[in-house]
Amino acid sequence: MTTPPVASELNLCLCHSCGLACDMTGEPHECERCGAPLHRRKANALTRTWAYLLTSLVFYIPANVLPVMNTKMVGNGADSTIMGGVLDFWQHGAWDIALIIFIASIAVPGIKFVALTLLLVTVQRDSDWARKERSKMYRFVELIGYWSMLDVIVVALVASLVKFQALADIEPRAGILFFGLVVVFTMLSAMSFDPRLIWDQHHSKNEEVMDEVASH
Ligand SMILES: [Zn+2]
């Protein structure tokens, strides 16, 4: 049984910018085609991913505890948090908006926290477990990142709808700022992670096995 060679054995490194497999003989620092900096692995990937992830977790608390908007219905104003808003919309029959806000602002960040923590812990422990599935999970986290701003858009949309009806007024509150920060920092966290790390140990273990087989 032969394992296909990895890029480092062939002394190749993929350019993140244009995708060219660059020859690393002579340790070039830039891609010969597009000039982007080359690195075999993202620098300090684990530390950075942890730092951004913990920062976003800290911001997740005020994002949920502080009110995100103030709705004024004929005179009396009321502040509402994300969860409060979800319940309000649900009770007033707007279950579709309630569902969108719940998925975008509570479920998506929650899934990202769990997924990134799982990826970080398993990579740090050189885990053999479900490498293929973990790679797929990372791609899924990247994919849902694009949809995270949905919530901010929903608030803007609801605000403009309410203003058109002219019966009520709606204003953003501090919570939405923290929510925006959660979105930005989870995105940075996902971008800092290097999915190739999932496979690194796997390959060197295989090599050890092959070496052992060869030496006998
Ligand atoms: Zn390039």
Side-chain angles (χ1 to χ4, degrees):
M1 199 183 87
T2 50
T3 39
V6 293
S8 59
E9 286 169 357
L10 301 173
N11 209 19
L12 291 172
C13 175
L14 207 67
C15 169
H16 279 301
S17 178
C18 72
L20 179 72
C22 300
D23 187 2
M24 294 303 277
T25 319
E27 293 294 313
H29 294 291
E30 288 173 352
C31 170
E32 57 186 84
R33 182 159 71 184
C34 73
L38 290 174
H39 18 237
R40 291 173 196 268
R41 292 292 177 269
K42 288 180 191 171
N44 307 319
L46 294 179
T47 320
R48 280 178 186 220
T49 312
W50 269 122
Y52 287 131
L53 186 68
L54 292 176
T55 313
S56 66
L57 258 174
V58 170
F59 287 141
Y60 192 61
I61 299 165
N64 280 287
V65 173
L66 292 178
V68 285
M69 57 185 177
N70 178 284
T71 38
K72 263 198 197 101
M73 297 277 189
V74 207
N76 46 355
D79 281 348
S80 59
T81 58
I82 292 179
M83 205 55 216
V86 169
L87 292 175
D88 268 356
F89 280 116
W90 189 272
Q91 278 162 1
H92 288 88
W95 61 269
D96 39 4
I97 297 180
L99 206 64
I100 290 174
I101 299 181
F102 179 79
I103 292 172
S105 49
I106 295 170
V108 167
I111 291 169
K112 287 182 99 174
F113 290 144
V114 173
L116 285 167
T117 309
L118 191 75
L119 287 171
L120 283 165
V121 171
T122 48
V123 164
Q124 278 178 334
R125 300 184 67 178
D126 291 330
S127 172
D128 265 333
W129 170 72
R131 290 178 199 269
K132 213 172 192 174
E133 287 72 19
R134 280 191 282 145
S135 298
K136 280 184 186 157
M137 189 169 73
Y138 176 72
R139 271 176 235 141
F140 177 69
V141 167
E142 267 192 321
L143 187 77
I144 59 175
Y146 302 122
W147 295 91
S148 298
M149 273 304 188
L150 202 65
D151 189 66
V152 179
I153 295 165
V154 168
V155 171
L157 194 75
V158 172
S160 58
L161 281 176
V162 171
K163 289 220 176 190
F164 266 118
Q165 288 174 345
L167 285 166
D169 208 355
I170 191 163
E171 276 176 357
R173 284 284 181 270
I176 200 75
L177 179 76
F178 287 104
F179 180 75
L181 288 171
V182 170
V183 172
V184 170
F185 279 100
T186 46
M187 252 179 196
L188 287 171
S189 176
M191 281 161 65
S192 309
F193 185 76
D194 196 331
R196 290 173 296 192
L197 293 172
I198 297 171
W199 299 92
D200 275 356
Q201 183 64 23
H202 176 56
H203 193 79
S204 53
K205 262 185 194 163
N206 262 8
E207 260 185 350
E208 280 164 27
V209 173
M210 298 300 279
D211 286 348
E212 261 175 46
V213 170
S215 65
H216 283 299

